[in-house]
Amino acid sequence: MPIEEAYRDLALSKLERFGKIVEEKLKAQVSELDQEDLEFGLSLSLQDENLSQLWQECIEDNHYMEVSFMEVMEHHDGAYLKATFKNSRGPYTAERYVSIRSSGRVETSHAFFLIMDNLTFRVEKEPSGNFKVFVKSV
């Protein structure tokens, strides 16, 4: 059954809203970086309580995502399923990674990607609530 377009558009607009806010916060940090260092990539940190709440709403609780990758793997402790779900609009992409082990344990993680000014950014939320950002020139 096809998904209702209004539901899909709502999910993608949440992604876009989050992306615009992160883009503004990263522009200031990137302007201070040496361009030669960006060729190999740098790790940055973002700290913002409001961004943490927005991450929860726009990335983790965003229930519309398309399947982009699925694989069943055999491991020494049994089989498990790996799946990647993706939302994308313009320069913004959110991904949800799900692993389901044969023991029934489910592991979920999220990442947000941004392309801006010939730079790619990967943003992940740390358990502390801060954000880890990896930036590299394209």
Side-chain angles (χ1 to χ4, degrees):
M1 175 185 234
I3 191 151
E4 186 177 323
E5 283 299 312
Y7 186 72
R8 180 177 178 269
D9 287 341
L10 176 64
L12 293 175
S13 68
K14 285 181 183 180
L15 172 69
E16 200 168 31
R17 184 176 74 182
F18 180 80
K20 287 179 182 178
I21 291 169
V22 169
E23 187 173 358
E24 287 302 314
K25 293 186 178 298
L26 290 174
K27 276 184 184 178
Q29 286 191 347
V30 169
S31 65
E32 301 168 3
L33 300 176
D34 183 9
Q35 294 300 316
E36 287 183 19
D37 292 338
L38 293 174
E39 290 179 21
F40 300 104
L42 288 172
S43 291
L44 306 173
S45 181
L46 275 177
Q47 298 174 356
D48 188 329
E49 181 68 29
N50 295 332
L51 192 60
S52 196
Q53 293 170 345
L54 198 59
W55 174 273
Q56 182 70 38
E57 176 189 342
C58 298
I59 305 298
E60 290 182 11
D61 293 342
N62 200 340
H63 298 296
Y64 171 79
M65 288 190 154
E66 296 175 355
V67 176
S68 70
F69 174 79
M70 220 164 53
E71 179 179 25
V72 176
M73 300 184 70
E74 288 289 333
H75 207 272
H76 70 285
D77 60 348
Y80 69 98
L81 172 72
K82 284 177 49 173
T84 302
F85 300 87
K86 186 186 285 190
N87 257 356
S88 186
R89 181 179 271 179
Y92 314 119
T93 302
E95 290 187 353
R96 177 179 294 134
Y97 309 105
V98 180
S99 291
I100 303 171
R101 300 196 180 271
S102 59
S103 65
R105 189 173 84 192
V106 177
E107 298 169 347
T108 305
S109 61
H110 298 84
F112 174 79
F113 298 90
L114 166 66
I115 298 172
M116 171 179 68
D117 300 331
N118 292 327
L119 299 173
T120 59
F121 297 84
R122 178 186 172 102
V123 181
E124 295 177 329
K125 186 176 179 185
E126 297 178 318
S128 65
N130 296 334
F131 291 89
K132 174 174 63 172
V133 180
F134 181 77
V135 59
K136 187 176 180 192
S137 60
V138 178

